[in-house]
């Protein structure tokens, strides 16, 4: 990220402690990218980065642990989500708990027995609403050990189409617009709609620079930090756009909240009392005579 807060283009290579190249680095949209690295026990790795202005920088990568799980999310098909759990040899025959959720709603939850080096779970996209889904692995004691978020393009979106009687109209000519609103099952549905009409020859329009319901509700409201041109991910659906969207999930997906803090919240007294729905009155009852002394409490 540059000093202006926007992504920058970089290139580079990952080398091990013997200066052997093991991975190639090249950013894509908005200065984000990803690469695959399979670390070898006993080796350390460094990313040698080159910037557009010719400057370079060497960044030591975190040391890989010898044991653990790797949680990966793939969307090879339009109707399904593939969850893949890789486990080191020492963790075979162990059991983990897996949860998939969207906006606090649990989509799938089950214990998973790790019997092979790779365990695959297929989930239907129809089970997910469109938006960011969170996938978490817990160990046998309930501690989170892996987490990954992914954007799910489900089949629940409304389909809108506009039609006019003619392709062009003269100034101040009456225009009738026909709107067809269909749900995901191609059935007519009702709704409240608004339309804005502009002259693009006088007001240049770039859809990727706009802010929409999709980019606000489904994306930026569920991520921390600034997202550069969020509507870029919704103007079209191509392999390049989907890859850029997944890079955004990898870059901004750590962490949305702490599971341990959430678990202890249930038994924690709030700092402030809940706001009442009516009028609250406090005071004391006294005798009118002889000295306005407080009335003793009744048994």
């Amino acid at each position: 990220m540059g000093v202006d807060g926007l992504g920058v283009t970089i290139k580079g290579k990952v080398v091990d402690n013997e200066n052997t190249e093991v991975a190639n680095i090249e950013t894509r949209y908005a200065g984000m990218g990803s690469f695959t690295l399979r670390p070898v026990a006993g080796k350390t790795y460094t990313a040698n980065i080159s910037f557009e202005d010719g400057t370079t920088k060497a960044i030591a990568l975190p040391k890989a642990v010898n044991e653990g799980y790797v949680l990966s999310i793939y969307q090879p098909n339009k109707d399904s989500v593939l969850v893949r759990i890789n486990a080191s040899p020492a963790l075979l025959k162990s059991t983990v708990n897996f949860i998939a959720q969207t906006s606090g709603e649990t989509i799938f939850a089950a214990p998973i027995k790790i019997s092979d080096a790779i365990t695959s779970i297929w989930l239907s996209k129809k089970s997910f609403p469109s938006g960011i889904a969170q996938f978490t692995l817990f160990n046998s004691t309930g501690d989170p050990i892996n987490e990954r978020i992914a954007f799910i393009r489900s089949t629940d979106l409304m389909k809108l189409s506009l039609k006019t009687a003619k392709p062009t109209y003269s100034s101040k000519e009456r225009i009738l617009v026909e709107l067809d609103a269909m749900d995901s099952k191609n059935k007519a549905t009702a709704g409240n709609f608004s339309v804005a009409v502009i002259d693009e020859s006088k007001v240049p329009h770039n859809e990727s620079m706009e802010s929409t319901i999709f980019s606000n509700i489904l994306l930026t409201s569920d991520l921390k930090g600034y997202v550069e041109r969020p509507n870029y991910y919704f103007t079209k659906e191509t392999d390049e756009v989907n890859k850029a969207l997944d890079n955004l999930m990898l870059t901004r997906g750590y962490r949305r909240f702490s599971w341990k803090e959430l678990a202890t919240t249930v038994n924690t007294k709030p700092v402030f009392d809940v706001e009442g729905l009516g009028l609250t009155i406090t005071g004391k009852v006294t005798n009118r005579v002889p000295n306005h002394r407080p009335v003793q409490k009744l048994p």
Side-chain angles (χ1 to χ4, degrees):
M1 184 175 291
V3 294
D4 56 358
L6 303 179
V8 295
T9 301
I10 64 171
K11 293 183 179 180
K13 298 178 180 179
V14 178
V15 297
D16 60 16
N17 51 306
E18 297 176 354
N19 205 33
T20 301
E21 182 181 339
V22 295
N24 184 58
I25 300 174
E26 185 174 2
T27 56
R28 299 194 180 192
Y29 176 75
M32 295 179 291
S34 60
F35 59 89
T36 301
L37 173 65
R38 185 171 184 175
V40 178
K43 288 192 174 185
T44 57
Y45 300 90
T46 302
N48 296 321
I49 305 299
S50 300
F51 298 91
E52 287 185 309
D53 60 1
T55 59
T56 61
K57 187 174 184 179
I59 303 174
L61 300 184
K63 185 178 180 181
V65 296
N66 295 327
E67 295 183 1
Y69 302 92
V70 175
L71 177 63
S72 304
I73 307 297
Y74 304 96
Q75 300 185 54
N77 305 317
K78 289 188 176 182
D79 61 348
S80 57
V81 177
L82 171 60
V83 180
R84 184 166 289 169
I85 304 171
N86 293 66
S88 56
L91 296 174
L92 297 181
K93 297 183 180 180
S94 62
T95 299
V96 296
N97 293 312
F98 172 70
I99 293 179
Q101 61 172 329
T102 300
S103 300
E105 177 186 356
T106 300
I107 306 300
F108 179 86
I112 306 297
K113 186 175 182 180
I114 306 299
S115 55
D116 298 311
I118 300 177
T119 301
S120 298
I121 307 168
W122 287 92
L123 302 174
S124 173
K125 281 190 178 181
K126 292 182 179 180
S127 302
F128 293 85
S130 294
I132 295 177
Q134 181 179 358
F135 304 86
T136 311
L137 281 184
F138 298 86
N139 60 17
S140 57
T141 59
D143 295 321
I145 51 179
N146 293 79
E147 188 165 283
R148 170 78 149 88
I149 65 172
F151 193 93
I152 307 297
R153 297 185 188 270
S154 193
T155 58
D156 58 349
L157 299 182
M158 183 182 293
K159 302 174 184 177
L160 302 178
S161 64
L162 291 174
K163 298 178 183 178
T164 57
K166 300 189 301 182
T168 59
Y169 290 85
S170 58
S171 178
K172 297 184 179 180
E173 184 179 356
R174 184 167 179 259
I175 302 174
L176 293 178
V177 179
E178 180 181 337
L179 168 65
D180 289 331
M182 314 294 286
D183 61 15
S184 58
K185 297 180 181 179
N186 292 322
K187 294 183 179 181
T189 184
N192 296 319
F193 306 94
S194 61
V195 177
V197 180
I198 62 173
D199 186 347
E200 288 197 55
S201 64
K202 298 180 180 179
V203 183
H205 176 70
N206 185 349
E207 263 193 277
S208 64
M209 299 291 291
E210 298 298 319
S211 179
T212 67
I213 294 176
F214 288 153
S215 64
N216 279 327
I217 297 179
L218 300 184
L219 188 64
T220 56
S221 64
D222 216 10
L223 293 176
K224 291 183 178 180
Y226 175 73
V227 178
E228 186 176 341
R229 298 202 300 176
N231 203 45
Y232 163 82
Y233 305 104
F234 300 98
T235 54
K236 57 184 177 180
E237 184 178 353
T238 63
D239 291 340
E240 181 181 357
V241 171
N242 288 335
K243 181 61 178 177
L245 182 56
D246 199 50
N247 286 336
L248 177 65
M249 298 296 102
L250 289 168
T251 305
R252 297 299 178 94
Y254 305 95
R255 282 191 53 105
R256 299 175 63 196
F257 56 83
S258 173
W259 283 96
K260 288 187 177 181
E261 291 181 4
L262 183 65
T264 58
T265 301
V266 177
N267 298 320
T268 302
K269 183 179 179 181
V271 177
F272 301 99
D273 292 333
V274 64
E275 183 178 354
L277 299 178
L279 182 65
T280 301
I281 299 176
T282 60
K284 60 182 179 178
V285 179
T286 63
N287 292 321
R288 293 183 60 184
V289 291
N291 298 318
H292 292 279
R293 292 180 178 179
V295 175
Q296 295 183 353
K297 293 184 179 180
L298 297 176

